[in-house]
Each structure stands twice: as C-alpha cells, then as structure tokens.
C-alpha cells in the first residue's frame, strides 16, 4: 500500500503530464494511455529517441502518432515508415482522418500523393533512396517513425532498416516500434551508439488476454490447465490432460490414412459411406475426413460463429488454400451477415472496382470475391489484386465481414484485429523448404486476436491433426524468447552511394557501426572466453593421455589419420557414384522416360529439357511426372546411374508452361510405360561393372581405382601403428579415450578461433571486397576512392540485381529494344518464380528480346565468376519466366490473353508489373543515352493501363 507521500508525488506527476504536450495529445483518445505509452511519449517530447517493444495489438503505434503530432505542433516534418505498401496505405488513411489530407502525403513504389506534405507515410526503401539521392524533401525533417522495425531481421530486405538508422542526420529523432523481442536492450544499446540518447521501453503485458485452444474434431478444448489471467500458458504451464487423452483416443481410432474407424461398424467403402450419410458432401467443408474427423473450414467457421468467437482470421500458408477456403464456404452455403448488409457491401465493392474493365474482372475471380464478401467472408493474400485486398481490409476493420482466410503477410502490422485467430498448420514454406513456424511467428499470428476496446479477451485456435503435436503447440504458445538478429550486408548500390557521399575510408567506418557488426563484436567476447577455457582443458587432456612407453600424441595422430583416410575413401566411392549418375543424366534426351529412384516424387518421368551446362556447373534435366508436374530434378533424388526405359515423342512446339500440354504428355507417359519394365542389357551390365563416358562398361577390378592409393597409404599407416611402442601399452585404450577428447576439443577451439577472426570487422571486409570488384569493373576511379560515371549510374539502381542492371546499361544491351521489348527484358531482373508456378520455360517474344536475354546471361555469368573469386554472395540469374506476358501486356493485350496458359495469378502479375514499373523508372533516370530513357518512359506509359493503372492511389 502506498504512503501519503507517494500518492502525493503520483498526483503531481499526473498533473505535470496532463499539462504537457503529450498529456494534451493523450486527452484526444477515448481511453487512458498505458504506462509504457506515457513513457514513450514523454521521451519523444523531451527530445530523445525511443525503442518501444510491445506485443501486437498493445497500442505501441500511439507513440509513433505522438511523434507526428509533435512535428505538426513544432513546424517540422515527420516521416512514418513501414515495411510493406499495404501497411503504408492503411497508415496513410489513419493519419488523413486525424490530421486532414492537406497535411499528410504517401510515397510508395506505386503511389505518390502530396509528397511534400509535413507528414509523409512511406515504405522504408523509399526513405533510403531519398537519403542517397539527397532530395530536398528531407529538409526540415524532425522525426522518423520506423514501424515494425524488427523487420530488419528479414534476410531479403532487412538491411534497409539499418541503412536508414545509420545514415539519418543526427538532428532527426527516431521512434522505433517493434514486436516483443528478447534482446530489446541489446538493440537499444546499438541505437544509443549510432543515434545518441534513446530510451528502451519494453512492455510484455497484453491489454486483451489471449486464451489458447485446440480444436479436436468439432470440439474446442483449452490448451493449458489454469491459463494465466494474461492469457496463454506462461513458462512451464501444464498442457490440458483432457486434450492429450482426446487426441490419443482419436489417434488410436484412425486408420493409416487418417480416416475414422468405427469399431462396431462395417468396414470398407460402403460402411464409411453409410456412416457419413446425412453430413455435408465430401470435400465441401475443406479437409473433412482427415485425422480425427478434422472439421472442414466451413465447419470451423460455423463452430466459431456458434460460440460467439467471430470475427476470425484463419491463417493458411498457401494462396491457393485461401482461395479454396472461400470456394468451400460458398459451396457449403455459409452466410455470416444479414442479406441486407450483404447487398450494401456488394454496392460498395461495385463502386470501388468500377474503373476495372468487365473482362478483366472475370479473370480476377471477381464473381466469387464479391459473392463471398456479400456473405461475410473473404480471402486475403499477396496474390490478389491490391484493390481487392484493400477492400477486404476496410470491410473487416469496420466489422462488416466476419471471417478472413489469410496468408502470414496479414500478420505484419496491418491493423485487422479479430476476436479469434485460427492456425491450420504449424508448417510453412520459408522460401527454401517446408519448416515449422517459430515461436516469434506464432506470436505474431495469434497477436491479431483480441480487439482493444471491443473484446474482453482474444482466442487462438490450432486445428489438431496427425502432424500437430499439442506439446509443440504448447511450446510455441509459452515461449517468450525471440531474439532479433541483423541480416545486414553491404550491396553494390550501397557501396557506390557511400563512397560518393563520404569517401571510402569513412564509408568503411560507418559500416562498422551496423547492428550486424555490433552483434558480431559482442559474440566475439563470449567466444574468446570459451577459447581460453578450452586451452586450459586441452592441457588437462594432454596430461591425462601421457604414456610412459612413448609419445602417445604421435600414436593418436596415426590412429586419427587412418580413420580420416578411411572416411575419405568412402566419400570418393560416393562421389564416383554421383558422377556416374550425372553422366547418365547427361545422356538423357527429351522424350526419354526413366524412373526417379528416390525423393518425395519417386516414380516415372519424361525429360522435356535436357541437362544444361554453364559456368562449370551442371543443371539437372527438367521433367514432367506422371501427375503432369513440371520440375527440375534435385541432386539428392538421383544418387546412382539412371537409364531410359522407354521413349515417347515430345511435340516440337511443346510449351512446358501450358498446363494442358503437360497433362496430355503425362497421360501419354502413363499409357506407354509398363508398371515393371524389364531390366535392359545395358542396365544389367552397369550393375555388374562401371560405365565409362563413351558408354562402354568396365568390369569390376579393371581400370584405375580412385581409392587404391588411399588404401595403400592406410596399409602403411597401420604397419607404423603396430610398430609404435605405445601400441603394446596395457592402458592404450584409456589413453586413446583422453586423446579423442583432446582432438574433439582442439577442433572446437580451432573453429571458435576461425569464427573470432571471421567476425572481427566482417562487415567492413565484405565492403572492401565489393569495392575491389567495383574497382576492377570501373565503377570506382583509379585509386578506388571516388565514383566513376558508371558508378553514378549504379547509384540510381536499387534492384536486387543492381550490378547486372548497371552492366546492361553500360554495355548498351537494351539500346535496340522497343518499349514492349524493354519491359520484357527488365522483367527478367524482377521475376522470381514461386514454388507453385513451376519451372517456367524462357519464352521470349521476338529476336531482339532473345538476343538481349542471351547477352544478359553472358554478363551475369561474368559477374558471378568475379563474385566467386572475391568470396561475395552471388547475384541471382535473370529469369525470363514473365517476359512473354510482360511483352503482351505492354503491347496492349487483354489480361485474359496475357495470363492464358500461365500459373501466375492475376494479383501476382499486377504486383510484379508494378515492380517492373519501379525499375523502368530507375532505368529512365540512370540511362546513359536519352533515347533509352525515352523508351523506358514509353514502356511505363504502356504498362500503366487497365488493372495496373486502376490499382494506383494517385
């Protein structure tokens, strides 16, 4: 209980705050500010930077909005930066409502509204580019709000946040807003070093409690026993035993396909059909019939509606899955809102899309989109037309629709809170492989549940399944440690901009102040301590293995060398077999049918594109499987020689991007290939011998043996081992165990020492290697301390393949192209196929584009060779998978014609087209020839039409 003096002091503090600018700002809200919000606003008002790390939905943006308010009050500018355009658009709308359209602007890659306003919302990349360009828009800048600053951990785009924080003028106050991270103090210490006085404010309390559940069958069960009042389980919380027993019972009651088995009912298809009579048609609910009678998506929504847990967001880590969910609810007949409200929504949507041509709306799936909205549900993912996504965001935020099926991009800052969040699976594709979601990702997803000021509590629901362990869910829900790791690395564009602005030596010093180097240096301290401890341990192990008969370290070295050589021989045999496999694949030609022996898609396939070689590397053949899937073989799927068992004719004009063509070829493949083809004479010979490059078979024991020399050396070492005096020691094996421990600790110590050496000044050393390469190519002047005219071109190119784009401009590769051809070629620097878009064949529209592509590939190959020699990350290969479509669109073709026979969604096409527009604008600014700049401008004008132009805010 507080004393009278404490209560008096608290009353005085409240009075001072109420009289301050922050207090007057707080009075404009219809709820009292939390303590962490008050502390954040006070820090900003007193002239300090601030890092606010708080849970999703806790209201940390209030501190950022106060910085905007303070800028307007004091006659300065404020920039509000976000990681994605959707969040920028939403924040722009919020600030316009608060301050008026005349005082708020928006700058993103595809929108420019009132850019000289005192308050401008922008993506972080736009601010980075403005700083490098030295634009006058930065004059008078007083505050920068960096929303979702934890995005600097993103391995693709995270470096931009550090660039901005490092390079902003000292006079600018930085307000950093982050999700809860376990090393906020470390990040704050770095901010203090590079930005000066910075308060670190960490808030772990959720204003709306979050309760964790699992849905087993159609039953909703608590995840934890005695969940804490704050929601969730907390560290060491006990998993609900009733939930565990229910899952165990269902596991025992399901067959190997995950279908429910009725112990007293008839078996077989008829029995199951009888049991399911009276329920919904198979498949209409989504994934009904799986583990434990896992409910379909429509049934899940129905159950949440029944329990009063809508509105809800269901996270599905698949765009196709989100669209399928809408189709499933439509087929089920789900309606979540009254008919009259549905009609009002339909009118709103029709008004919003009135600028889009009717034939384009058909391609965009508009009918299902508007029908779902009029019933109260929708999908939300990056593959949708941005206008469609914005409509969904607005309607859901206003509470007019009740269920959204979304990919994880929705969890990134967009203000679409719900009462309930449903997570279908705990595994997602991370860009390289399928991996389990992390505790940080789980917290980000479920953080959408619970609307402040509306809900008294939020709910997180995970659907049970064979691949979902309740103990793993409990671990995700209770873990509170999410460290923020820097992904910063210098780029070519960054290097020339820094050298141009401050010189090479100062640029190197600036990069050494990055968060990446800050973390590396801190880690070095701990590793150096471990090295010293290990060296003490090594001395102890050396004493323990001492032998009175001789030098046991020498004897142990002989044993270690024998073991290493035997492993080397095994690796050589394995490598020889891999080489045979690669050789056999090189012999395959289009139309050859063979069996893929291993991997997830083992089975027969037909070659449609043979092995390609380039830069000393072999790319395995592209095949079509019996299911009609187009794929390139992975190395681990072919560990030994393969052989064609049949041959079918592949049409001369076969288009691998055409889904129907692939299905027709797969149908032929299934008919022509026997289930168990007899082994051929050559295959039998290959099993008994070794196949040479010309196709001849070498019998075992004949010809050179790559492991023979190794085996001779092993025999000699064994002779010396037996002759060593320590070999006869009765305590030999005991000494050997200490020797093995010595070697293990020695390897660990050497590894730590290499890490220490590698981390010290690691960012600066990478910068030095980049500068050396740029110097060789002529982008820096003779002594490497200033930027050449070619370097000035590179300064204006902010694409991931910046050096490749600069080389194409410098060598005049695009000089002969018309606007449509230039758009097609530039798309090759932007397009990166998603895993569900297959391996798009490089179709190009005409000879000029084909020639430009071939020359680009040669330039890229030369750049890659230089990068390898300098130990730098490799530039990605230009991909022509979208060139044909981009040329069609820039030539005036309709959207349905452009997307015909393509796996790319309309929304993805529009999004990537805008990226092409961005890069074409940079090309126009950087082009060394006026004619090329004019062509780039004409290409932009040709692209900005139809759905692409209709989707722009300006």
């Amino acid at each position: 209980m507080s004393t009278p003096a404490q209560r008096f002091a608290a009353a005085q503090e409240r009075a001072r705050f109420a009289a301050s600018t922050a207090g007057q700002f707080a009075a404009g809200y219809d709820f009292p500010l939390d303590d962490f919000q008050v502390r954040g606003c006070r820090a900003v008002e007193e002239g300090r930077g601030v890092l606010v790390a708080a849970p999703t939905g806790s209201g940390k943006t209030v501190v950022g909005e106060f910085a905007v308010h303070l800028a307007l009050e004091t006659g300065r500018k404020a920039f509000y930066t976000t990681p994605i355009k959707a969040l920028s658009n939403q924040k722009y709308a919020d600030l316009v409502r608060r301050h008026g359209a005349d005082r708020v602007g928006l700058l993103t890659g595809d929108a420019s509204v009132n850019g000289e306003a005192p308050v401008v919302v922008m993506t972080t990349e736009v601010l980075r580019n403005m700083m490098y360009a030295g634009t006058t828009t930065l004059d008078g800048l007083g505050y920068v709000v960096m929303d979702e600053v934890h995005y600097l951990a993103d391995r693709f785009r995270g470096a931009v946040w550090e660039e901005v924080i490092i390079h902003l003028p000292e006079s600018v106050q930085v307000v950093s807003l982050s999700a809860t991270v376990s090393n906020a103090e470390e990040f704050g210490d770095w901010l203090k070093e590079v930005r000066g006085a910075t308060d670190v404010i960490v808030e772990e309390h959720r204003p709306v409690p979050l309760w964790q559940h699992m849905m087993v069958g159609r039953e909703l069960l608590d995840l934890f026993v005695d969940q804490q009042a704050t929601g969730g389980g907390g560290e060491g919380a006990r998993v609900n035993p009733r939930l565990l027993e229910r899952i165990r019972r269902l596991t025992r009651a399901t067959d190997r396909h995950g279908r429910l088995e009725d112990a007293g009912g008839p078996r077989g298809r008829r029995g199951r059909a009888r049991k399911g009579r009276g329920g919904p048609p198979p498949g209409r609910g989504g994934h009904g019939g799986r583990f434990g009678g896992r409910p379909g998506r429509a049934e899940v929504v129905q159950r949440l509606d029944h329990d009063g847990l809508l509105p809800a967001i269901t996270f599905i880590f698949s765009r196709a899955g989100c669209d399928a969910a809408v189709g499933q609810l439509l087929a089920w007949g789900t309606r979540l809102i009254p008919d009259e409200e549905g009609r009002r929504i339909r009118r709103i949507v029709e008004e919003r899309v009135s600028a889009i041509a009717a034939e384009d709306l058909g391609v965009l799936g508009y009918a299902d989109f508007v029908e779902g909205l009029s019933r109260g549900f929708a999908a939300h993912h990056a593959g949708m037309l941005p206008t469609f996504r914005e409509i969904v965001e607005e309607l859901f935020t206003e509470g007019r629709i009740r269920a959204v099926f979304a990919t994880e991009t929705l969890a990134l800052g967009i203000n679409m809170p719900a009462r309930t969040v449903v997570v279908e699976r705990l595994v997602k594709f991370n860009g390289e492989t399928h991996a389990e979601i992390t505790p940080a990702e789980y917290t980000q997803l479920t953080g959408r549940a619970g609307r402040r000021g509306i809900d008294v509590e939020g709910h997180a629901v995970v659907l049970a399944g064979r691949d979902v362990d309740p103990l793993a869910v409990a671990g995700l829900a209770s873990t509170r440690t999410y460290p923020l790791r820097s992904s910063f690395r210098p780029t070519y564009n960054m290097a020339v901009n820094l050298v141009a602005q401050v010189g090479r030596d100062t640029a190197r010093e600036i990069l050494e102040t990055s968060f990446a180097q800050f973390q590396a240096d801190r880690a070095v301290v701990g590793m150096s301590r471990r090295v010293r401890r290990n060296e003490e341990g090594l001395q102890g192990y050396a004493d323990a293995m001492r032998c009175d008969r001789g030098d046991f370290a020498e004897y142990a070295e002989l044993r270690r060398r024998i073991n290493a050589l035997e492993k080397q021989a095994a690796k050589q045999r394995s490598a020889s077999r891999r080489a045979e496999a690669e050789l056999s694949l090189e012999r395959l030609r289009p139309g050859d049918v063979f069996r893929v022996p291993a991997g997830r898609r083992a089975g027969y396939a037909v070659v449609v594109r043979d092995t390609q070689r380039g830069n000393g590397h072999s790319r395995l053949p592209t095949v079509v499987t019996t299911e009609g899937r187009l794929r390139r073989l992975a190395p681990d799927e072919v560990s030994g020689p393969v052989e064609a068992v049949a041959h079918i004719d592949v049409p001369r004009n076969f288009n691998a991007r055409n889904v129907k063509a692939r299905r027709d070829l797969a149908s032929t493949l299934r008919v022509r290939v026997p289930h168990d083809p007899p082994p051929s004479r050559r295959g039998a010979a290959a099993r008994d011998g070794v196949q040479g490059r010309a196709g001849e078979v070498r019998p075992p024991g004949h010809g050179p043996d790559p492991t023979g020399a190794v085996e001779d050396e092993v025999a000699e070492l064994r002779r010396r081992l037996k002759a060593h005096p320590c070999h006869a020691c009765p305590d030999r094996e005991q000494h050997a165990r200490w020797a093995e421990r010595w070697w293990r600790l020695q390897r660990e110590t050497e590894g730590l020492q290499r890490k220490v050496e590698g981390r010290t000044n690691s960012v600066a050393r990478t910068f030095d290697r980049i500068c050396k390469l740029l110097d060789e190519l002529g982008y820096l002047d003779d002594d490497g301390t200033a930027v050449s005219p070619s370097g000035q071109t590179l300064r204006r190119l902010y694409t991931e393949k910046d050096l490749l784009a600069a080389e194409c401009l410098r060598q005049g590769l695009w000089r002969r192209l018309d606007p449509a051809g230039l758009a097609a070629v530039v798309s090759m620097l932007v397009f990166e196929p998603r895993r569900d878009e297959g391996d798009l064949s490089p179709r190009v529209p005409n000879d000029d584009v084909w020639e430009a592509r071939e020359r680009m590939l040669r330039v890229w190959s030369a750049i890659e060779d230089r990068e390898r020699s300098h130990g730098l990350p490799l530039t990605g290969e230009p991909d022509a998978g979208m060139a044909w479509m981009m040329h069609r669109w820039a030539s005036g073709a309709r959207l349905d014609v452009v997307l015909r026979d393509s796996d790319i969604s309309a929304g993805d096409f529009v999004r990537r087209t805008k990226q092409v527009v961005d890069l074409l604008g940079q090309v126009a600014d950087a082009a060394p020839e006026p004619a090329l700049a004019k062509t780039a401008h004409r290409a932009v004008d040709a692209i900005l039409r139809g759905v692409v132009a209709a989707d722009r805010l300006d």
Side-chain angles (χ1 to χ4, degrees):
M1 190 172 182
S2 60
T3 66
Q6 289 172 328
R7 289 195 296 273
F8 177 73
Q12 281 190 317
E13 176 60 27
R14 285 195 297 272
R16 280 195 297 270
F17 178 73
S20 68
T21 303
Q24 295 166 10
F25 166 78
Y29 287 92
D30 53 6
F31 58 86
L33 297 191
D34 292 338
D35 176 64
F36 83 94
Q37 295 169 321
V38 171
R39 286 187 288 137
C41 292
R42 290 294 294 269
V44 175
E45 185 175 5
E46 291 167 7
R48 299 188 299 277
V50 65
L51 166 64
V52 181
T56 301
S58 60
K60 54 184 174 285
T61 54
V62 166
V63 182
E65 289 170 356
F66 174 66
V68 170
H69 171 84
L70 201 57
L72 293 173
E73 287 288 311
T74 57
R76 287 179 286 178
K77 286 184 178 180
F79 288 170
Y80 197 110
T81 71
T82 74
I84 55 176
K85 295 174 185 177
L87 184 53
S88 292
N89 294 340
Q90 188 176 78
K91 204 65 206 177
Y92 168 72
D94 292 344
L95 293 174
V96 164
R97 281 193 293 270
R98 178 176 285 269
H99 301 292
D102 58 324
R103 298 208 286 179
V104 182
L106 175 69
L107 292 174
T108 64
D110 57 4
S112 176
V113 181
N114 199 16
E116 296 299 325
V119 177
V120 184
V121 182
M122 62 186 68
T123 51
T124 316
E125 281 89 350
V126 169
L127 177 54
R128 186 271 312 271
N129 299 352
M130 289 169 63
M131 289 192 305
Y132 283 157
T135 174
T136 56
T137 305
L138 295 168
D139 295 345
L141 180 63
Y143 303 90
V144 168
V145 180
M146 305 202 74
D147 204 351
E148 308 285 341
V149 73
H150 55 273
Y151 207 80
L152 66 80
D154 181 78
R155 63 196 180 102
F156 296 112
R157 297 170 52 214
V160 176
W161 276 254
E162 291 188 50
E163 289 182 72
V164 169
I165 291 171
I166 292 171
H167 297 134
L168 275 172
E170 291 183 12
S171 59
V172 176
Q173 281 179 250
V174 176
V175 177
S176 303
L177 309 178
S178 169
T180 305
V181 292
S182 59
N183 61 336
E185 288 77 12
E186 179 189 40
F187 185 49
D189 289 344
W190 174 69
L191 287 172
K192 291 172 188 174
E193 283 202 5
V194 296
R195 301 298 317 165
T198 302
D199 286 10
V200 179
I201 299 171
V202 178
E203 175 63 34
E204 295 187 354
H205 174 73
R206 274 183 57 96
V208 180
L210 176 65
W211 304 101
Q212 305 282 345
H213 313 278
M214 287 190 71
M215 185 174 283
V216 186
R218 290 155 185 78
E219 189 176 2
L220 198 61
L221 298 169
D222 288 343
L223 177 60
F224 296 108
V225 175
D226 300 326
Q227 297 198 49
Q228 298 176 358
T230 55
E235 298 289 348
R238 190 161 64 97
V239 178
N240 185 356
R242 182 168 168 242
L243 168 65
L244 296 174
E245 176 56 31
R246 180 82 174 101
I247 288 179
R248 277 196 295 268
R249 194 163 66 245
L250 281 172
T251 302
R252 290 194 298 268
T254 55
D255 66 11
R256 64 189 178 88
H257 298 293
R259 296 176 296 225
L260 275 173
E261 291 284 6
D262 185 350
R267 294 291 184 264
R269 185 182 303 170
R270 295 177 63 185
R272 283 194 295 272
R274 190 178 298 115
K275 180 175 176 167
R277 196 169 294 159
R284 285 181 64 183
H287 40 259
R290 296 184 190 170
F291 164 82
R294 193 181 201 180
R297 289 159 180 155
E299 295 172 284
V300 172
V301 171
Q302 189 177 59
R303 173 61 194 264
L304 296 178
D305 192 20
H306 178 269
D307 290 353
L309 296 179
L310 295 182
I313 299 171
T314 299
F315 283 107
I316 304 171
F317 303 128
S318 159
R319 299 178 182 182
C322 294
D323 293 333
V326 171
Q328 289 153 13
L329 265 66
L330 289 173
W332 187 275
T334 301
R335 181 172 290 279
L336 304 176
I337 57 176
D339 290 348
E340 180 57 34
E341 175 65 7
R343 286 191 285 271
R344 283 195 289 267
I345 287 175
R346 188 180 286 271
R347 287 194 291 272
I348 291 171
V349 176
E350 288 172 350
E351 182 179 337
R352 288 289 301 274
V353 303
S354 59
I356 302 175
E359 63 267 19
D360 290 346
L361 288 176
V363 180
L364 294 165
Y366 173 73
D368 281 355
F369 173 72
V370 71
E371 180 64 21
L373 286 173
S374 68
R375 297 191 192 184
F377 51 86
H380 184 286
H381 57 76
M384 295 171 61
L385 190 70
T387 296
F388 284 11
R389 286 203 310 272
E390 290 162 16
I391 291 171
V392 173
E393 291 161 14
E394 292 168 11
L395 293 174
F396 193 77
T397 303
E398 294 168 4
R400 306 185 71 167
I401 59 175
R402 310 286 288 165
V404 169
F405 301 94
T407 55
E408 69 272 20
T409 53
L410 179 57
L412 187 66
I414 301 174
N415 186 26
M416 281 181 62
R419 181 168 297 165
T420 303
V421 161
V422 179
V423 181
E424 277 200 356
R425 299 192 180 281
L426 302 180
V427 175
K428 70 167 190 173
F429 190 75
N430 62 11
E432 295 178 353
T433 183
H434 285 87
E436 294 183 356
I437 64 174
T438 65
E441 289 169 332
Y442 181 85
T443 300
Q444 187 85 0
L445 295 171
T446 57
R448 294 284 128 204
R451 299 164 297 177
R452 188 169 188 176
I454 303 175
D455 299 318
V456 296
E457 58 189 27
H459 299 268
V461 179
V462 177
L463 302 187
R466 282 187 172 273
D467 56 346
V468 179
D469 180 359
L471 298 179
V473 179
L476 291 171
S478 59
T479 301
R480 294 290 180 264
T481 55
Y482 324 119
L484 184 62
R485 298 293 178 218
S486 172
S487 62
F488 181 85
R489 65 175 179 85
T491 64
Y492 301 113
N493 172 273
M494 183 194 307
V496 291
N497 272 295
L498 284 174
V499 172
Q501 289 182 333
V502 298
R504 184 164 172 175
D505 292 339
T506 305
R508 196 177 193 278
E509 293 172 5
I510 289 174
L511 291 176
E512 286 182 328
T513 67
S514 67
F515 187 42
Q517 192 61 57
F518 183 83
Q519 287 189 310
D521 290 343
R522 284 198 165 189
V524 163
V525 174
M527 284 190 287
S528 298
R529 192 180 302 118
R530 285 173 59 192
V531 167
R532 289 194 297 272
R533 275 202 314 267
N534 286 2
E535 287 172 345
E536 294 172 3
L538 286 169
Q539 184 56 49
Y541 289 160
D543 292 341
M545 72 174 174
R546 189 171 289 116
C547 178
D548 57 3
R549 299 201 177 195
D551 185 350
F552 199 87
E554 182 182 72
Y555 179 79
E557 170 67 9
L558 288 172
R559 290 178 61 149
R560 191 185 67 83
R561 286 177 60 192
I562 290 170
N563 185 50
L565 286 169
E566 287 176 338
K567 288 181 179 178
Q568 178 185 337
K571 286 182 180 178
Q572 286 179 343
R573 286 191 291 269
S574 176
S576 176
R577 186 159 178 80
R578 284 197 301 272
E580 291 177 39
E582 186 173 320
L583 191 60
S584 68
L585 289 170
E586 287 185 5
R587 285 195 297 269
L588 295 176
R589 292 294 176 263
D592 284 348
V593 177
F594 69 102
R595 176 183 282 277
V596 179
R600 234 167 14 106
R601 300 186 182 93
Y604 287 107
V606 57
V607 177
V608 295
R609 194 181 314 143
D610 54 12
T611 304
Q612 301 174 19
R613 281 192 170 272
N615 305 319
H617 295 275
S618 177
R619 297 175 59 184
L620 298 182
T622 303
V623 302
V624 169
T625 67
T626 52
E627 293 81 23
R629 292 186 178 277
L630 180 72
R631 47 192 299 271
R632 183 178 294 144
L633 291 180
D636 60 348
E637 293 176 307
V638 185
S639 57
V642 298
E643 183 178 8
V645 297
H647 185 89
I648 59 179
D649 291 330
V650 177
R652 183 180 299 274
N653 59 348
F654 177 75
N655 178 10
R657 292 171 53 212
N658 188 310
V659 177
K660 183 178 183 302
R662 294 203 304 264
R663 288 174 181 166
D664 290 345
L665 186 62
S667 177
T668 304
L669 173 62
R670 290 193 298 270
V671 170
R672 293 284 303 278
V673 175
H675 292 294
D676 295 301
S680 71
R681 187 175 305 164
R682 189 172 63 172
R687 283 193 300 273
D688 297 332
V690 181
Q691 197 149 9
R693 178 167 297 274
E696 75 279 3
V697 175
R698 186 177 67 242
H702 290 70
D705 179 2
T707 63
V710 175
E711 290 174 355
D712 291 343
E713 187 176 354
V714 168
E716 171 60 21
L717 288 173
R718 287 191 182 279
R719 185 192 63 75
R720 291 170 55 190
L721 187 76
K722 291 177 181 178
H724 198 282
C726 291
H727 191 67
C729 176
D731 298 324
R732 180 185 68 194
E733 293 309 313
Q734 183 178 348
H735 295 328
R737 283 193 290 274
W738 286 111
E740 180 58 32
R741 292 171 188 170
W742 188 92
W743 277 114
R744 279 202 301 267
L745 190 59
Q746 176 68 9
R747 284 196 297 270
E748 179 187 323
T749 305
E750 290 173 352
L752 286 170
Q753 288 170 334
R754 284 193 297 271
K755 285 183 179 179
V756 169
E757 294 167 1
R759 292 195 178 194
T760 304
N761 300 322
S762 56
V763 175
R765 285 205 305 274
T766 301
F767 173 74
D768 289 340
R769 291 195 291 268
I770 286 176
C771 287
K772 188 174 181 181
L773 189 153
L774 291 174
D775 192 14
E776 290 176 2
L777 291 175
Y779 287 91
L780 300 178
D781 67 4
D782 292 339
D783 59 1
T785 57
V787 176
S788 69
S790 296
Q792 295 296 338
T793 298
L794 179 56
R795 289 187 65 190
R796 299 183 180 92
L797 299 170
Y798 299 100
T799 176
E800 188 175 339
K801 299 179 177 65
D802 47 8
L803 183 57
L804 176 57
E807 281 291 279
C808 290
L809 288 174
R810 187 170 72 163
Q811 297 183 29
L813 268 60
W814 302 337
R815 192 178 298 142
R816 294 172 49 191
L817 298 169
D818 61 8
L822 182 61
V825 169
V826 167
S827 76
M828 301 178 195
L829 300 177
V830 169
F831 179 74
E832 291 183 2
R834 285 169 46 82
R835 60 190 173 93
D836 55 359
E837 290 167 347
D839 181 13
L840 301 187
S841 300
R843 295 182 68 199
V844 292
N846 55 44
D847 290 343
D848 286 344
V849 174
W850 178 268
E851 181 184 350
R853 173 180 177 270
E854 291 301 301
R855 294 178 66 189
M856 281 174 65
L857 286 173
R858 288 195 289 272
V859 171
W860 163 76
S861 179
I863 291 174
E864 189 183 53
D865 289 342
R866 288 182 180 271
E867 288 171 332
R868 288 184 191 279
S869 66
H870 287 283
L872 290 169
L874 303 181
T875 297
E877 180 180 358
D879 194 308
M882 194 178 166
W884 184 276
M885 287 180 285
M886 187 56 61
H887 190 274
R888 281 180 170 180
W889 180 256
S891 299
R894 295 198 320 268
L895 185 63
D896 60 330
V897 175
V898 169
L899 298 180
R900 188 176 297 160
D901 301 329
S902 168
D903 293 327
I904 296 180
S905 70
D908 268 337
F909 173 76
V910 171
R911 179 172 59 85
R912 284 165 170 161
T913 299
K914 290 180 178 180
Q915 292 172 346
V916 173
V917 169
D918 289 347
L919 186 49
L920 282 169
Q922 295 170 26
V923 168
D925 291 340
E929 304 147 346
L932 181 58
K934 184 177 180 180
T935 302
H937 284 303
R938 289 169 57 201
V940 170
D941 293 340
I943 292 172
L944 286 178
R945 63 181 183 84
V947 291
V948 179
D951 199 58
R952 291 167 63 87
L953 290 179
D954 56 342

